[in-house]
Amino acid sequence: MHIMAERRYIFAPEERPLFPGAPYSPRLSSGDRVVYAISGAVLALASGLGNALITTNLYVMAGNMGLYVAEANLLLAVFVAFNATANLLLVRARMQFGIPACLHAILGTLILGELIALCFPSTGTTVLARAISGVASGGLTTMGLYSVFQVFPIRMRPMAVVVGFSLPQLAIPIARMVPLDRVASDHWAGVHGIELALALAAWALTTLRPLPPTDRSKVFQPLDALTITLAMAGMLLGCTGLAFGRFYWWSDAPWLGWMFAGALLLLGLVLLIEDRRAQPLLQVRWFGTADILLIAGISLVVRIALTEQTYAAVGLLALGGLTNDQMHGLFAVVLLAMIGGIALAAWLARPDRALPMMLCSALVIALGAWLDTHSTSDTRATQLMVSQSLLGLGTVLFLGPALLFGIGRVLERGPTHLVSFVVLFSTTQNLGGLAGAALLGSLQMIRARVHAEILADAMPQGDPLAAQRIAAGAGQLAPLLADPGAAATQARARLGTALQNQANILAFNDTFWVVTLLALGLAAFLALVILQQEMRRLRATPPAGGAA
């Protein structure tokens, strides 16, 4: 019989949850632990695979839906905005209503949203599904983490944190390996079908073995609704501006400025309201402390750097004509590297090792990005396996330790700071990914123009090599085009396309350099922080053989 069905079970003091809203950690059988392990994996995939499928196939998806790529980016912005702010609602909801009620509400709403998108396919229902999925993802990530907690003994809780929070990161390489024809047909019914199937599987598994109970208390206040509404509206404006900026261009579309101004106004109003409340959702003044600014800044920079893999490296391969279906081998290797990285990070995990592990993560990311700076027009997926595996390894080496570091700061302050940390960490991860794509995308476009001008200047009108290449191209086209003038024109166009492609490759190499320098700068900063902490510890340690 499952242990939670034994009404006489008395929880030991060490089995109590660390935070309100978290489950107890009772003694479990091996069979229960296996089911919880499967539940944790399914919940992790349910939290992010749908959005990963859209992110990795967005250009094709836009065409199938009759949208410009810029317009299709709204799907990403909506997901990120709702995901970043979901925990404002969900953390307190678990405290007040308990885990089963919250989980069923999340999964039920997600299932309903996907069914609507499947039965009435349109851009509007897809946007609705992305909003619901964003909120659900915030809850399912935490529920997956709680399921993983049940797999490990209490003494191995740091290991459970690393594994549970790293599992959702596997969604991106898995999404890259899903064949395009499985998700792209019939207004992308495949994406909705996969999300629906995962939600139903999660419902079945969590019904088969529910999470242990949690302590409940009345925590919601009327003013919480205003804070949550303003935060979601502000994040939606800001995320939409970030998603659209590089397509409509930052200085060419005045309405982008108004979106960012509105976002800052609404989010500033949220901070003002929370700072003046007796029992706030967000501990605003705590956000200004050194440790929290440290973890927020590091998390944001690392997430921006990691978009090298999701945007720049894939963009380079796409420039060479490769599609996702031709990158399955690459991302299979990345997936294996990430799984190995999770095992390594879990084995090393300890709160006092959090900063050194984040330092190692930054160095690994820098090495991976530096290897990509040598890309050429002949670079293909096989040449990027080592570098992209390093970036995948860097991802999982960072996330778990960063969460351990933050949880340690929450334990020092008490459970009232839990919502603040969860929202802060979630926001840096979500906004960092969106901001990273915007930054690297904008940089690549700017540098491509610069390199195109340099290449054009290096090949002036009448250049013998250019004339020779045009003549050779015209000769190849002669059997297809009877008019020599038309053949020469086509040959010149081909040369122009080749120059533009070369400019784009050089621009991608520039973005790889930026990521390399960003990661190295972060590593140097972390080394200084660790050195400062070590010096402080040595000063606080009394000398050997001191006063008796």
Side-chain angles (χ1 to χ4, degrees):
M1 180 183 293
H2 180 244
I3 195 166
M4 301 321 301
E6 298 178 14
R7 297 179 181 275
R8 295 186 301 276
Y9 186 88
I10 299 174
F11 293 99
E14 65 272 13
E15 296 172 349
R16 295 185 62 84
L18 287 175
F19 304 107
Y24 281 79
S25 299
R27 297 180 298 278
L28 297 171
S29 67
S30 298
D32 286 333
R33 293 185 190 277
V34 169
V35 175
Y36 280 127
I38 297 171
S39 295
V42 171
L43 287 165
L45 283 180
S47 70
L49 185 57
N51 190 62
L53 287 168
I54 289 178
T55 302
T56 56
N57 297 288
L58 189 67
Y59 283 72
V60 181
M61 185 175 189
N64 286 4
M65 295 180 69
L67 301 173
Y68 292 109
V69 173
E71 296 169 335
N73 266 263
L74 178 63
L75 301 176
L76 302 181
V78 167
F79 179 91
V80 169
F82 280 86
N83 183 254
T85 52
N87 283 302
L88 278 171
L89 171 68
L90 296 176
V91 174
R92 282 199 170 180
R94 286 192 295 272
M95 295 180 190
Q96 182 156 331
F97 302 112
I99 289 175
C102 287
L103 185 58
H104 290 155
I106 290 169
L107 290 173
T109 307
L110 180 60
I111 290 168
L112 179 61
E114 298 302 333
L115 284 173
I116 290 173
L118 280 170
C119 296
F120 305 99
S122 69
T123 302
T125 57
T126 302
V127 170
L128 173 65
R130 300 325 307 143
I132 293 172
S133 183
V135 175
S137 176
L140 295 177
T141 300
T142 304
M143 296 299 186
L145 181 64
Y146 289 162
S147 293
V148 173
F149 278 2
Q150 306 306 314
V151 178
F152 293 86
I154 294 173
R155 69 180 184 279
M156 300 171 70
R157 186 54 55 83
M159 185 179 292
V161 170
V162 171
V163 173
F165 200 71
S166 299
L167 283 177
Q169 309 308 314
L170 301 180
I172 285 288
I174 290 174
R176 292 280 181 194
M177 292 188 291
V178 176
L180 185 59
D181 58 0
R182 300 290 183 185
V183 294
S185 60
D186 194 18
H187 214 84
W188 289 78
V191 174
H192 301 301
I194 289 172
E195 283 199 300
L196 177 61
L198 286 170
L200 290 171
W203 188 301
L205 285 166
T206 53
T207 302
L208 176 66
R209 285 292 184 272
L211 283 166
T214 184
D215 293 328
R216 292 169 55 185
S217 59
K218 187 175 182 180
V219 290
F220 272 120
Q221 299 177 24
L223 204 55
D224 291 346
L226 178 61
T227 293
I228 294 168
T229 302
L230 291 175
M232 284 188 170
M235 287 296 294
L236 187 58
L237 284 174
C239 291
T240 304
L242 284 174
F244 284 173
R246 64 190 172 100
F247 295 99
Y248 294 99
W249 205 245
W250 311 98
S251 58
D252 292 346
W255 51 270
L256 285 172
W258 288 110
M259 292 185 89
F260 289 125
L264 290 174
L265 176 63
L266 291 172
L267 295 176
L269 195 56
V270 167
L271 297 179
L272 181 64
I273 292 171
E274 291 299 298
D275 187 47
R276 297 177 180 274
R277 292 177 64 184
Q279 294 180 306
L281 267 173
L282 299 174
Q283 304 292 334
V284 175
R285 296 182 187 274
W286 186 53
F287 288 156
T289 60
D291 281 345
I292 297 307
L293 288 175
L294 175 68
I295 194 63
I298 293 171
S299 300
L300 190 62
V301 171
V302 169
R303 180 49 63 184
I304 290 172
L306 288 172
T307 53
E308 196 266 39
Q309 183 172 79
T310 55
Y311 168 76
V314 172
L316 175 71
L317 294 176
L319 191 65
L322 275 69
T323 65
N324 272 349
D325 289 347
Q326 295 164 302
M327 301 181 200
H328 290 173
L330 169 63
F331 283 97
V333 173
V334 171
L335 178 62
L336 292 175
M338 292 180 73
I339 292 172
I342 292 173
L344 176 63
W347 178 56
L348 295 173
R350 247 176 35 193
D352 60 324
R353 294 175 178 169
L355 287 176
M357 288 178 70
M358 285 190 273
L359 169 60
C360 291
S361 168
L363 291 173
V364 168
I365 292 169
L367 177 59
W370 176 78
L371 290 174
D372 286 344
T373 60
H374 302 82
S375 299
T376 68
S377 58
D378 295 325
T379 298
R380 293 296 180 264
T382 51
Q383 282 86 49
L384 298 183
M385 283 185 175
V386 173
S387 63
Q388 296 310 300
S389 295
L390 288 171
L391 285 163
L393 178 62
T395 301
V396 294
L397 279 180
F398 167 78
L399 286 172
L403 194 63
L404 277 178
F405 183 85
I407 288 176
R409 307 289 82 76
V410 174
L411 289 173
E412 292 173 0
R413 297 292 184 124
T416 56
H417 291 65
L418 177 62
V419 176
S420 302
F421 172 71
V422 171
V423 170
L424 179 71
F425 196 76
S426 174
T427 300
T428 58
Q429 294 304 291
N430 283 282
L431 273 186
L434 206 57
L439 173 65
L440 296 187
S442 300
L443 178 65
Q444 195 273 334
M445 292 173 68
I446 293 170
R447 294 300 298 169
R449 293 193 190 102
V450 171
H451 285 298
E453 291 175 1
I454 293 172
L455 291 173
D457 290 342
M459 190 175 288
Q461 189 76 19
D463 183 270
L465 290 176
Q468 183 180 359
R469 180 160 179 172
I470 292 171
Q476 292 174 352
L477 292 169
L480 303 175
L481 296 173
D483 184 359
T489 300
Q490 287 278 10
R492 289 191 193 93
R494 285 187 176 185
L495 178 59
T497 300
L499 289 176
Q500 187 60 49
N501 283 342
Q502 184 61 32
N504 277 306
I505 290 168
L506 293 171
F508 274 118
N509 282 340
D510 289 342
T511 64
F512 299 144
W513 272 114
V514 168
V515 172
T516 302
L517 296 174
L518 194 65
L520 286 175
L522 178 60
F525 174 74
L526 282 168
L528 288 175
V529 171
I530 293 169
L531 180 62
Q532 184 184 44
Q533 288 187 351
E534 187 64 18
M535 293 176 64
R536 193 179 301 153
R537 184 187 66 81
L538 290 174
R539 284 196 298 266
T541 303

